[in-house]
Amino acid sequence: MARRSSLVVGALGLCVLMGANQLRVVVAHIERPGLYPDDAPALLELRTLVPSGSTVTMTSDKRVRGVINGFAAYALDHAIVWGHVRTGYAESRAGDSGAIGAYGLLHAFEDPLLWGYTYPPIWRGGSYALYRRPPETQKHLRLLNVLESGEVLVVPVNAESSEAETDTGSHTLRLMVATLAPATVEVNDAPISLMPGRRIITLHPAPSQDVAIRHIGAAPLLVETATWLTHTVPGGQMSVASNHNVRAPIPEMTVQPMTNSAIVQASAVASGAVITTTLETLLSEAGPVRAALDIWDVERGIQYGWYGLLIVPDSEVQRFSMVLSLADGQMQCVSAGGETPIGAYFAGLKPGRYTARLSLAAGTQMINEPIDLFGFEITSDRAIAGVWVREKQLQAGSVINPATISVTRIGRDIALLGYTIMPPRLRAGGAADLILWWRSLNDNLDERSVLIHLIDAAGNKYAQADGPPAEGVLPTSRWRAGLTVVDARQFRLPADLPPGDYTLLVGMYRWPSLERLPVVQNNTLLPGAVIRIPVRIEA
């Protein structure tokens, strides 16, 4: 009952947040005319960040597909752009399937591991983040293949690569996979047992021939990536076999879990004008996250509705059934514990062709590329037609991707990993979202609350967003060691707030004593027991 009550609070808060975000988008376009004012100036910085003639792998993420992606390609006209770039007028593809650029230009909150890059980025600006290729990465395949039981995926080894690149003694092959249920896979006939979650399978030395991955198990297996890495031995010397007539050794295989990941499988089934969406999620080390269905006629800019579900961390797979009546926009959500509250907004039946996109979000920050799950048409006489659905869409991604990384300890048992402030430009009268990533270092903490104050240089307070972390659905008394808690907080800026430089104070205090916990950053005790985050309010 306590958990369901917490979800009710979270769902209601989600509705408010959704409405505020939609209003903010409209206001931004009215008050800030111009072509993508947050992206265009930032992307021009790429001309100085990326050396002339460098190779750049560009994302094809739906969140930046279109004119923004085209402008990014223009900003990189001094470099060699690889990937799939699509605007409203044309599209282009360049680069081999296994090519990984010296730089990667990805969506700001996209998982870089899917593209062969590692966190953190070397630059963020507008909707993008720029990564530099790790020196040990030689080749990378973004597979994103879902295998059913008995299916086989063959990962090709490029026979045309140079001798140095394919030498089995000098390279390691790393496979990234995800599953919601225990499974066994055979990699070149060698069986490997997998527990639920996201895993890295490492083969050393890398096989010199194509790699066959056979899935044995009932639940689908997601094979995300294959990466060839340079292997070095102690002393920094490359391990290279000198006699290529000698048979390559049998690879040694290891399996490592990837923490702080979210896995979601979504399926949609239609029965007349009723759509049933089934979600299965595994979110064991980090959260909460929001799963949302946002339904739009994208070409005409008409919204049908929005439906959101708050999912808290759990060591087991959670299952949700979301039943939507297209005729009236009503939705009912059911889980193993019974009916589950959701946040919902129905805009009404307006003629158009709609697509329902499923996304996961940490606060207002989406952590995955949206999945096109189902679609339909509303005719001029408001009849439902042209319904289509997709089944078993499986995705995995990292829950932790703050815009600013922090090395801060709160008291003796909590760390702040980082934070993100959205939108990038703050203005008087608008709302600001602060997303904090807390890491629990111990079990069974006492009750604590989060302090958020906006002050000016003189210490005058203009806004605050104090309260329990994670919208109250995950109080500190339920934290366990190793858990990462996503704490999304929103506060509204006064309409008469003068433009200028301000400071966000962030801290924690015990409840109900109000005793502040000491804050240590880079081995320095911070005054006032708060972290000071500079922000600027624009005119």
Side-chain angles (χ1 to χ4, degrees):
M1 288 296 294
R3 179 176 177 183
R4 292 186 65 189
S5 297
S6 297
L7 288 174
V8 171
V9 174
L12 293 177
L14 189 55
C15 288
V16 174
L17 185 62
M18 175 274 298
N21 285 341
Q22 290 177 337
L23 179 60
R24 189 185 317 153
V25 170
V26 175
V27 172
H29 280 83
I30 294 175
E31 295 183 345
R32 291 184 289 143
L35 181 62
Y36 304 101
D38 288 333
D39 282 290
L43 287 171
L44 291 176
E45 297 178 25
L46 295 174
R47 294 179 178 273
T48 57
L49 290 168
V50 177
S52 180
S54 298
T55 53
V56 182
T57 298
M58 183 178 291
T59 182
S60 56
D61 194 292
K62 294 184 180 74
R63 290 168 285 183
V64 288
R65 189 178 295 169
V67 177
I68 301 177
N69 217 350
F71 190 90
Y74 165 77
L76 291 167
D77 61 359
H78 66 298
I80 301 170
V81 177
W82 289 341
H84 180 198
V85 178
R86 185 168 75 185
T87 70
Y89 305 99
E91 62 180 293
S92 65
R93 295 179 184 270
D96 296 332
S97 60
I100 175 170
Y103 296 87
L105 187 64
L106 310 181
H107 184 270
F109 303 116
E110 193 171 0
D111 189 348
L113 295 176
L114 295 177
W115 294 89
Y117 301 95
T118 55
Y119 193 78
I122 62 173
W123 170 87
R124 285 184 189 265
S127 301
Y128 288 89
L130 183 69
Y131 296 83
R132 186 180 282 115
R133 183 181 66 196
E136 67 274 14
T137 300
Q138 301 300 312
K139 177 182 176 183
H140 178 81
L141 294 176
R142 188 169 178 260
L143 301 169
L144 301 181
N145 241 282
V146 178
L147 300 182
E148 299 292 342
S149 180
E151 289 187 335
V152 178
L153 172 67
V154 176
V155 179
V157 173
N158 188 357
E160 298 179 358
S161 297
S162 68
E163 182 177 288
E165 289 181 342
T166 59
D167 181 59
T168 58
S170 64
H171 283 73
T172 293
L173 173 61
R174 187 176 65 195
L175 302 170
M176 192 162 67
V177 301
T179 178
L180 286 168
T184 298
V185 295
E186 292 180 347
V187 180
N188 285 354
D189 297 325
I192 301 176
S193 296
L194 299 175
M195 295 301 292
R198 206 178 188 195
R199 298 286 189 271
I200 289 180
I201 302 174
T202 302
L203 287 73
H204 178 77
S208 57
Q209 298 178 345
D210 292 352
V211 177
I213 304 172
R214 180 186 298 275
H215 173 41
I216 304 172
L221 173 75
L222 174 63
V223 183
E224 298 183 85
T225 64
T227 308
W228 282 260
L229 307 169
T230 301
H231 174 70
T232 58
V233 296
Q237 298 298 315
M238 190 75 72
S239 172
V240 180
S242 57
N243 187 350
H244 294 281
N245 294 321
V246 177
R247 185 176 179 180
I250 298 174
E252 175 186 348
M253 298 188 189
T254 60
V255 180
Q256 294 177 300
M258 297 181 64
T259 59
N260 303 317
S261 294
I263 303 175
V264 59
Q265 179 176 286
S267 294
V269 177
S271 177
V274 175
I275 305 288
T276 300
T277 299
T278 302
L279 299 183
E280 295 182 83
T281 64
L282 182 58
L283 187 72
S284 56
E285 303 99 358
V289 301
R290 293 181 175 88
L293 280 173
D294 202 3
I295 307 175
W296 284 82
D297 180 332
V298 178
E299 293 184 359
R300 299 175 60 195
I302 302 173
Q303 187 179 30
Y304 169 89
W306 182 99
Y307 304 88
L309 171 69
L310 192 64
I311 305 173
V312 299
D314 197 303
S315 58
E316 302 293 331
V317 173
Q318 300 179 71
R319 294 175 175 84
F320 304 91
S321 179
M322 306 169 71
V323 182
L324 173 64
S325 169
L326 298 178
D328 57 14
Q330 296 297 307
M331 175 180 282
Q332 182 183 32
C333 183
V334 177
S335 66
E339 187 170 352
T340 301
I342 60 172
Y345 168 76
F346 176 52
L349 294 179
K350 302 173 184 176
R353 294 183 178 178
Y354 295 90
T355 299
R357 287 184 168 176
L358 174 71
S359 63
L360 299 181
T364 55
Q365 175 179 310
M366 277 196 287
I367 63 175
N368 72 317
E369 183 176 4
I371 301 171
D372 290 352
L373 198 55
F374 62 85
F376 57 93
E377 181 180 358
I378 300 177
T379 63
S380 57
D381 58 355
R382 289 177 170 74
I384 308 298
V387 177
W388 59 266
V389 296
R390 288 181 178 166
E391 297 183 351
K392 292 186 178 178
Q393 302 294 300
L394 183 60
Q395 272 195 2
S398 176
V399 178
I400 302 178
N401 192 356
T404 302
I405 297 174
S406 174
V407 184
T408 308
R409 192 177 73 250
I410 314 295
R412 294 178 177 271
D413 41 29
I414 293 178
L416 178 64
L417 303 181
Y419 60 87
T420 299
I421 300 176
M422 300 177 73
R425 296 184 178 187
L426 301 181
R427 283 178 169 78
D433 295 300
L434 175 64
I435 308 167
L436 304 163
W437 279 263
W438 306 105
R439 170 71 56 79
S440 180
L441 306 179
N442 287 323
D443 297 323
N444 304 319
L445 306 182
D446 54 358
E447 288 295 344
R448 301 175 190 182
S449 195
V450 180
L451 174 151
I452 307 289
H453 293 171
L454 178 70
I455 64 170
D456 62 14
N460 299 308
K461 183 169 62 176
Y462 289 89
Q464 71 179 82
D466 289 18
E471 303 178 34
V473 302
L474 206 60
T476 53
S477 59
R478 291 175 51 194
W479 291 12
R480 62 183 187 275
L483 178 68
T484 299
V485 177
V486 181
D487 184 14
R489 320 186 73 82
Q490 185 178 89
F491 53 94
R492 182 157 294 279
L493 303 172
D496 57 353
L497 186 65
D501 294 324
Y502 293 81
T503 301
L504 268 177
L505 304 181
V506 179
M508 269 192 173
Y509 53 88
R510 289 188 168 89
W511 182 262
S513 70
L514 305 185
E515 174 195 356
R516 289 197 188 182
L517 281 75
V519 178
V520 177
Q521 191 173 63
N522 299 324
N523 297 320
T524 300
L525 186 65
L526 299 186
V530 290
I531 305 157
R532 304 175 72 88
I533 302 174
V535 296
R536 181 164 183 81
I537 308 301
E538 299 187 5

mmCIF file with all atom_site columns, all heavy atoms in Angstrom, residues 448-459:
data_model
loop_
_atom_site.group_PDB
_atom_site.id
_atom_site.type_symbol
_atom_site.label_atom_id
_atom_site.label_alt_id
_atom_site.label_comp_id
_atom_site.label_asym_id
_atom_site.label_entity_id
_atom_site.label_seq_id
_atom_site.pdbx_PDB_ins_code
_atom_site.Cartn_x
_atom_site.Cartn_y
_atom_site.Cartn_z
_atom_site.occupancy
_atom_site.B_iso_or_equiv
_atom_site.pdbx_formal_charge
_atom_site.auth_seq_id
_atom_site.auth_comp_id
_atom_site.auth_asym_id
_atom_site.auth_atom_id
_atom_site.pdbx_PDB_model_num
ATOM 1  N N   . ARG A 1 448 ? 15.950 11.864 5.391  1.00 0.00 ? 448 ARG A N   1
ATOM 2  C CA  . ARG A 1 448 ? 16.605 13.110 5.013  1.00 0.00 ? 448 ARG A CA  1
ATOM 3  C C   . ARG A 1 448 ? 15.808 13.814 3.930  1.00 0.00 ? 448 ARG A C   1
ATOM 4  O O   . ARG A 1 448 ? 15.033 13.186 3.200  1.00 0.00 ? 448 ARG A O   1
ATOM 5  C CB  . ARG A 1 448 ? 18.031 12.839 4.529  1.00 0.00 ? 448 ARG A CB  1
ATOM 6  C CG  . ARG A 1 448 ? 18.857 12.145 5.614  1.00 0.00 ? 448 ARG A CG  1
ATOM 7  C CD  . ARG A 1 448 ? 20.218 11.760 5.142  1.00 0.00 ? 448 ARG A CD  1
ATOM 8  N NE  . ARG A 1 448 ? 20.861 10.895 6.142  1.00 0.00 ? 448 ARG A NE  1
ATOM 9  C CZ  . ARG A 1 448 ? 22.088 10.426 6.028  1.00 0.00 ? 448 ARG A CZ  1
ATOM 10 N NH1 . ARG A 1 448 ? 22.804 10.738 4.969  1.00 0.00 ? 448 ARG A NH1 1
ATOM 11 N NH2 . ARG A 1 448 ? 22.595 9.653  6.965  1.00 0.00 ? 448 ARG A NH2 1
ATOM 12 N N   . SER A 1 449 ? 16.025 15.101 3.858  1.00 0.00 ? 449 SER A N   1
ATOM 13 C CA  . SER A 1 449 ? 15.360 15.909 2.850  1.00 0.00 ? 449 SER A CA  1
ATOM 14 C C   . SER A 1 449 ? 16.416 16.702 2.090  1.00 0.00 ? 449 SER A C   1
ATOM 15 O O   . SER A 1 449 ? 17.531 16.901 2.582  1.00 0.00 ? 449 SER A O   1
ATOM 16 C CB  . SER A 1 449 ? 14.350 16.857 3.511  1.00 0.00 ? 449 SER A CB  1
ATOM 17 O OG  . SER A 1 449 ? 13.468 17.385 2.552  1.00 0.00 ? 449 SER A OG  1
ATOM 18 N N   . VAL A 1 450 ? 16.051 17.144 0.896  1.00 0.00 ? 450 VAL A N   1
ATOM 19 C CA  . VAL A 1 450 ? 16.981 17.866 0.033  1.00 0.00 ? 450 VAL A CA  1
ATOM 20 C C   . VAL A 1 450 ? 16.678 19.354 0.084  1.00 0.00 ? 450 VAL A C   1
ATOM 21 O O   . VAL A 1 450 ? 15.515 19.770 0.071  1.00 0.00 ? 450 VAL A O   1
ATOM 22 C CB  . VAL A 1 450 ? 16.888 17.358 -1.415 1.00 0.00 ? 450 VAL A CB  1
ATOM 23 C CG1 . VAL A 1 450 ? 17.849 18.109 -2.323 1.00 0.00 ? 450 VAL A CG1 1
ATOM 24 C CG2 . VAL A 1 450 ? 17.176 15.860 -1.467 1.00 0.00 ? 450 VAL A CG2 1
ATOM 25 N N   . LEU A 1 451 ? 17.731 20.152 0.160  1.00 0.00 ? 451 LEU A N   1
ATOM 26 C CA  . LEU A 1 451 ? 17.620 21.613 0.196  1.00 0.00 ? 451 LEU A CA  1
ATOM 27 C C   . LEU A 1 451 ? 18.001 22.164 -1.168 1.00 0.00 ? 451 LEU A C   1
ATOM 28 O O   . LEU A 1 451 ? 19.085 21.868 -1.684 1.00 0.00 ? 451 LEU A O   1
ATOM 29 C CB  . LEU A 1 451 ? 18.538 22.156 1.289  1.00 0.00 ? 451 LEU A CB  1
ATOM 30 C CG  . LEU A 1 451 ? 18.707 23.674 1.426  1.00 0.00 ? 451 LEU A CG  1
ATOM 31 C CD1 . LEU A 1 451 ? 19.003 24.016 2.889  1.00 0.00 ? 451 LEU A CD1 1
ATOM 32 C CD2 . LEU A 1 451 ? 19.837 24.233 0.552  1.00 0.00 ? 451 LEU A CD2 1
ATOM 33 N N   . ILE A 1 452 ? 17.117 22.947 -1.764 1.00 0.00 ? 452 ILE A N   1
ATOM 34 C CA  . ILE A 1 452 ? 17.386 23.630 -3.035 1.00 0.00 ? 452 ILE A CA  1
ATOM 35 C C   . ILE A 1 452 ? 16.950 25.084 -2.887 1.00 0.00 ? 452 ILE A C   1
ATOM 36 O O   . ILE A 1 452 ? 15.749 25.359 -2.718 1.00 0.00 ? 452 ILE A O   1
ATOM 37 C CB  . ILE A 1 452 ? 16.617 23.004 -4.218 1.00 0.00 ? 452 ILE A CB  1
ATOM 38 C CG1 . ILE A 1 452 ? 16.876 21.503 -4.310 1.00 0.00 ? 452 ILE A CG1 1
ATOM 39 C CG2 . ILE A 1 452 ? 16.986 23.707 -5.519 1.00 0.00 ? 452 ILE A CG2 1
ATOM 40 C CD1 . ILE A 1 452 ? 18.245 21.114 -4.757 1.00 0.00 ? 452 ILE A CD1 1
ATOM 41 N N   . HIS A 1 453 ? 17.894 26.034 -2.928 1.00 0.00 ? 453 HIS A N   1
ATOM 42 C CA  . HIS A 1 453 ? 17.584 27.456 -2.826 1.00 0.00 ? 453 HIS A CA  1
ATOM 43 C C   . HIS A 1 453 ? 18.257 28.210 -3.975 1.00 0.00 ? 453 HIS A C   1
ATOM 44 O O   . HIS A 1 453 ? 19.410 27.911 -4.315 1.00 0.00 ? 453 HIS A O   1
ATOM 45 C CB  . HIS A 1 453 ? 18.079 28.046 -1.498 1.00 0.00 ? 453 HIS A CB  1
ATOM 46 C CG  . HIS A 1 453 ? 17.369 27.513 -0.294 1.00 0.00 ? 453 HIS A CG  1
ATOM 47 N ND1 . HIS A 1 453 ? 17.773 27.773 0.994  1.00 0.00 ? 453 HIS A ND1 1
ATOM 48 C CD2 . HIS A 1 453 ? 16.265 26.735 -0.185 1.00 0.00 ? 453 HIS A CD2 1
ATOM 49 C CE1 . HIS A 1 453 ? 16.972 27.176 1.853  1.00 0.00 ? 453 HIS A CE1 1
ATOM 50 N NE2 . HIS A 1 453 ? 16.040 26.528 1.151  1.00 0.00 ? 453 HIS A NE2 1
ATOM 51 N N   . LEU A 1 454 ? 17.549 29.164 -4.543 1.00 0.00 ? 454 LEU A N   1
ATOM 52 C CA  . LEU A 1 454 ? 18.133 30.065 -5.532 1.00 0.00 ? 454 LEU A CA  1
ATOM 53 C C   . LEU A 1 454 ? 18.359 31.414 -4.863 1.00 0.00 ? 454 LEU A C   1
ATOM 54 O O   . LEU A 1 454 ? 17.403 32.037 -4.372 1.00 0.00 ? 454 LEU A O   1
ATOM 55 C CB  . LEU A 1 454 ? 17.204 30.229 -6.736 1.00 0.00 ? 454 LEU A CB  1
ATOM 56 C CG  . LEU A 1 454 ? 17.700 31.190 -7.828 1.00 0.00 ? 454 LEU A CG  1
ATOM 57 C CD1 . LEU A 1 454 ? 18.890 30.596 -8.558 1.00 0.00 ? 454 LEU A CD1 1
ATOM 58 C CD2 . LEU A 1 454 ? 16.573 31.529 -8.814 1.00 0.00 ? 454 LEU A CD2 1
ATOM 59 N N   . ILE A 1 455 ? 19.622 31.874 -4.832 1.00 0.00 ? 455 ILE A N   1
ATOM 60 C CA  . ILE A 1 455 ? 19.942 33.139 -4.167 1.00 0.00 ? 455 ILE A CA  1
ATOM 61 C C   . ILE A 1 455 ? 20.731 34.041 -5.118 1.00 0.00 ? 455 ILE A C   1
ATOM 62 O O   . ILE A 1 455 ? 21.313 33.575 -6.111 1.00 0.00 ? 455 ILE A O   1
ATOM 63 C CB  . ILE A 1 455 ? 20.759 32.911 -2.878 1.00 0.00 ? 455 ILE A CB  1
ATOM 64 C CG1 . ILE A 1 455 ? 22.119 32.293 -3.206 1.00 0.00 ? 455 ILE A CG1 1
ATOM 65 C CG2 . ILE A 1 455 ? 19.987 32.024 -1.903 1.00 0.00 ? 455 ILE A CG2 1
ATOM 66 C CD1 . ILE A 1 455 ? 23.079 32.244 -2.036 1.00 0.00 ? 455 ILE A CD1 1
ATOM 67 N N   . ASP A 1 456 ? 20.745 35.347 -4.783 1.00 0.00 ? 456 ASP A N   1
ATOM 68 C CA  . ASP A 1 456 ? 21.577 36.283 -5.528 1.00 0.00 ? 456 ASP A CA  1
ATOM 69 C C   . ASP A 1 456 ? 22.895 36.498 -4.786 1.00 0.00 ? 456 ASP A C   1
ATOM 70 O O   . ASP A 1 456 ? 23.172 35.854 -3.757 1.00 0.00 ? 456 ASP A O   1
ATOM 71 C CB  . ASP A 1 456 ? 20.841 37.600 -5.775 1.00 0.00 ? 456 ASP A CB  1
ATOM 72 C CG  . ASP A 1 456 ? 20.480 38.318 -4.482 1.00 0.00 ? 456 ASP A CG  1
ATOM 73 O OD1 . ASP A 1 456 ? 21.009 37.948 -3.408 1.00 0.00 ? 456 ASP A OD1 1
ATOM 74 O OD2 . ASP A 1 456 ? 19.672 39.272 -4.541 1.00 0.00 ? 456 ASP A OD2 1
ATOM 75 N N   . ALA A 1 457 ? 23.715 37.418 -5.276 1.00 0.00 ? 457 ALA A N   1
ATOM 76 C CA  . ALA A 1 457 ? 25.039 37.640 -4.689 1.00 0.00 ? 457 ALA A CA  1
ATOM 77 C C   . ALA A 1 457 ? 24.948 38.123 -3.255 1.00 0.00 ? 457 ALA A C   1
ATOM 78 O O   . ALA A 1 457 ? 25.875 37.910 -2.456 1.00 0.00 ? 457 ALA A O   1
ATOM 79 C CB  . ALA A 1 457 ? 25.820 38.632 -5.546 1.00 0.00 ? 457 ALA A CB  1
ATOM 80 N N   . ALA A 1 458 ? 23.833 38.780 -2.885 1.00 0.00 ? 458 ALA A N   1
ATOM 81 C CA  . ALA A 1 458 ? 23.668 39.294 -1.526 1.00 0.00 ? 458 ALA A CA  1
ATOM 82 C C   . ALA A 1 458 ? 23.057 38.268 -0.579 1.00 0.00 ? 458 ALA A C   1
ATOM 83 O O   . ALA A 1 458 ? 22.873 38.545 0.603  1.00 0.00 ? 458 ALA A O   1
ATOM 84 C CB  . ALA A 1 458 ? 22.801 40.552 -1.551 1.00 0.00 ? 458 ALA A CB  1
ATOM 85 N N   . GLY A 1 459 ? 22.732 37.083 -1.108 1.00 0.00 ? 459 GLY A N   1
ATOM 86 C CA  . GLY A 1 459 ? 22.155 36.041 -0.278 1.00 0.00 ? 459 GLY A CA  1
ATOM 87 C C   . GLY A 1 459 ? 20.645 36.050 -0.211 1.00 0.00 ? 459 GLY A C   1
ATOM 88 O O   . GLY A 1 459 ? 20.055 35.269 0.551  1.00 0.00 ? 459 GLY A O   1
#
